[in-house]
């Protein structure tokens, strides 16, 4: 009984924090969606933002979705623990399990993402310099991370931008002169995917620690919910 009571209190505190975090994220998401223009102006005072790069309405919808899920999880965890509701505890366990499976699947997708290089290269060669939104996103990414293309400057060969002359995006070259194939080859700027891998490697300990911490919390939450579920079943007999 003492152990069960302790688990109920911990379950309530843990899910109460999740509930409050969900409420805060939901509130921010609603604010971003309803008042995106004023928020964009506020952010623009701190850092100059390129046009049509950040679609704050989409970000708002994502925040609303995440906040709503956290609210539901927190509510089910708190009420299920206090009321010893088998239905709520089982629903809580199922949702956390689904999230855990999605996270694992996402990690696997990241490992096999390298197989999609050909598709990204084809997209660059087909649309860069022709499709404004796609071109602007790539330009902003390359300027911010000081990288060139997905793997290197050769990704832009045969693109509408390159076909207009021996031209490559300016981030692919050093200096202020025209960015030609010779200049891009001499500069040898790393691709954005390579830069991303380097960033992940530099922060691998932090990323691994956070991932393991989140996984441990989710597994602990599922174990505790099942313990309380089984205890509630015994009391119901």
């Amino acid at each position: 009984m003492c152990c069960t009571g302790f688990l109920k209190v911990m379950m309530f505190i843990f899910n109460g924090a999740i509930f409050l975090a969900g409420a805060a994220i939901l509130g921010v998401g609603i604010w971003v969606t309803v008042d995106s223009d004023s928020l964009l102006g506020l952010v623009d005072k701190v850092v100059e933002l390129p046009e049509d790069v950040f679609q704050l309405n989409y970000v708002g919808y994502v925040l609303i979705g995440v906040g709503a899920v956290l609210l539901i999880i927190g509510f089910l965890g708190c009420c299920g623990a206090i009321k010893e509701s088998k239905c709520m505890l089982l629903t809580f366990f199922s949702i956390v399990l689904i999230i855990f499976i999605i996270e694992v699947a996402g990690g696997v997708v990241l490992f096999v993402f390298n197989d999609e290089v050909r598709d990204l290269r084809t997209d660059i060669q087909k649309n860069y310099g022709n499709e404004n939104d796609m071109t602007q996103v790539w330009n902003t990414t390359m300027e911010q991370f000081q990288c060139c293309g997905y793997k290197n400057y050769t990704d832009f060969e045969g693109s509408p931008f390159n076909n207009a002359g021996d031209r490559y995006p300016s981030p692919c070259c050093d200096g202020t002169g025209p960015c030609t194939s010779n200049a891009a080859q001499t500069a040898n700027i790393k691709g954005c995917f390579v830069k991303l891998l380097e960033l992940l490697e530099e922060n691998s300990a932090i990323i691994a620690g956070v991932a393991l911490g989140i996984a441990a919390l989710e597994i602990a939450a599922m174990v505790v919910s099942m313990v309380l579920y089984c205890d509630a079943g015994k009391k119901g007999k």
Side-chain angles (χ1 to χ4, degrees):
M1 290 296 294
C2 180
C3 180
T4 302
F6 173 76
L7 291 177
K8 287 173 63 175
V9 172
M10 294 304 298
M11 188 81 167
F12 180 83
I13 294 174
F14 176 73
N15 286 282
I18 292 179
F19 184 86
L20 293 176
I25 294 174
L26 181 63
V28 172
I30 294 174
W31 174 44
V32 169
T33 303
V34 174
D35 200 17
S36 60
D37 292 337
S38 63
L39 181 60
L40 183 60
L42 178 63
V43 176
D44 197 40
K45 292 179 180 179
V46 180
V47 58
E48 185 177 351
L49 300 177
E51 294 182 359
D52 299 328
V53 173
F54 299 108
Q55 300 292 334
L56 286 181
N57 283 332
Y58 298 144
V59 175
Y61 296 143
V62 171
L63 292 176
I64 289 174
V66 172
V69 171
L70 291 178
L71 274 175
I72 294 172
I73 292 176
F75 174 79
L76 291 173
C78 286
C79 293
I82 297 302
K83 294 186 176 182
E84 298 182 350
S85 170
K86 294 179 63 177
C87 179
M88 287 184 175
L89 290 170
L90 184 59
T91 305
F92 172 85
F93 174 86
S94 301
I95 294 176
V96 175
L97 178 62
I98 291 172
I99 293 174
F100 182 78
I101 293 174
I102 292 174
E103 290 171 348
V104 173
V108 173
V109 169
L110 287 178
F111 277 107
V112 301
F113 183 69
N114 201 32
D115 295 336
E116 303 298 324
V117 173
R118 186 176 300 175
D119 293 337
L120 286 173
R121 180 186 173 92
T122 301
D123 187 51
I124 291 174
Q125 292 176 337
K126 181 180 179 181
N127 298 313
Y128 186 85
N130 191 25
E131 185 179 316
N132 292 332
D133 290 342
M134 181 265 198
T135 302
Q136 183 63 42
V137 168
W138 267 109
N139 286 341
T140 302
T141 302
M142 291 188 293
E143 290 172 2
Q144 292 292 328
F145 292 96
Q146 297 180 347
C147 55
C148 173
Y150 184 80
K151 297 189 74 174
N152 53 40
Y153 75 96
T154 60
D155 294 336
F156 297 95
E157 293 178 351
S159 66
F161 184 82
N162 179 254
N163 288 336
D166 187 22
R167 300 188 304 167
Y168 291 84
S170 57
C172 294
C173 296
D174 292 327
T176 57
C179 189
T180 62
S181 58
N182 289 333
Q185 185 176 11
T186 301
N188 194 27
I189 304 298
K190 295 179 180 179
C192 296
F193 184 67
V194 176
K195 284 285 186 110
L196 176 60
L197 289 180
E198 290 179 350
L199 179 64
L200 293 177
E201 289 176 359
E202 291 173 359
N203 299 279
S204 58
I206 298 176
I207 295 173
V210 172
L212 289 175
I214 293 175
L217 286 174
E218 290 173 341
I219 294 173
M222 288 188 287
V223 170
V224 171
S225 65
M226 278 295 95
V227 171
L228 295 177
Y229 175 85
C230 294
D231 186 70
K234 293 178 181 179
K235 291 181 179 179
K237 293 181 180 180

